[in-house]
């Protein structure tokens, strides 16, 4: 039985979900609405522990919570770059960018492009774009 076919029964601890819980929720997001999650849940889950799961979800065009996962990847990228990679390993970020460029669709290629642009020009960081979903909603490439 795939994750998509299973029933999601909620998070044991929504502040610290497991990769399996996050994956199961992402394919049944209406089972636990985002509005019922802790404040700033997107910021809480956008760390190293869940980034590979978030990346996998964002790479899947059939995932119902794909835009949320992509939004979290923007937070992850900005957090790493803005802390000079004290928050997240630069090597991991670069590998994700390279994989998105190689295997991703247009949404993921835009994320990779924007990550590279911010890496080269950290002054282009705008909180609304990177942490409040602006770049996901607008689906635009930074210049």
């Amino acid at each position: 039985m795939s994750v998509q076919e299973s029933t999601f029964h909620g998070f044991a601890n929504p502040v610290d979900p497991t990769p399996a819980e996050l994956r199961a929720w992402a394919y049944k997001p209406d089972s636990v609405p985002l509005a019922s999650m802790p404040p700033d849940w997107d910021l809480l889950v956008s760390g190293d522990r869940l980034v590979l799961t978030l990346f996998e979800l964002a790479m899947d065009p059939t995932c119902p919570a794909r835009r949320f996962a992509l939004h979290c990847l923007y937070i992850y990228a900005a957090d790493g770059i803005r802390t000079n990679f004290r928050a997240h390993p630069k090597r991991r970020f670069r590998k994700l960018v390279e994989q998105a460029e190689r295997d991703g669709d247009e949404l993921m290629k835009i994320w990779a492009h924007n990550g590279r642009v911010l890496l080269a020009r950290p002054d282009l960081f705008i909180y609304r774009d990177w942490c409040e979903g602006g770049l996901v909603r607008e689906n635009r490439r930074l210049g």
Side-chain angles (χ1 to χ4, degrees), residues 19-65:
E21 287 175 333
L22 185 62
R23 190 176 296 107
W25 169 81
Y27 287 97
K28 303 282 184 195
D30 293 337
S31 61
V32 181
L34 275 175
S36 71
M37 300 308 281
D40 297 324
W41 191 62
D42 53 348
L43 301 176
L44 293 172
V45 299
S46 297
D48 285 321
R49 194 166 93 73
L50 295 171
V51 72
L52 297 179
T53 303
L54 291 164
F55 186 80
E56 171 191 317
L57 298 170
M59 289 285 282
D60 180 359
T62 68
C63 177

Side-chain angles (χ1 to χ4, degrees), residues 84-134:
N84 200 25
F85 294 97
R86 287 186 302 277
H88 310 297
K90 189 175 195 175
R91 184 169 183 236
R92 178 176 284 165
F93 170 70
R94 284 190 186 270
K95 283 184 174 235
L96 294 174
V97 166
E98 289 166 5
Q99 186 177 347
E101 290 170 336
R102 184 180 61 247
D103 303 326
D105 64 4
E106 188 62 16
L107 283 179
M108 291 304 292
K109 287 181 187 333
I110 291 171
W111 172 79
H113 168 83
N114 288 344
R116 286 194 184 273
V117 169
L118 189 64
L119 187 59
R121 300 248 344 258
D123 60 299
L124 293 178
F125 174 79
I126 297 171
Y127 188 86
R128 183 188 79 65
D129 286 345
W130 290 86
C131 300
E132 292 181 344

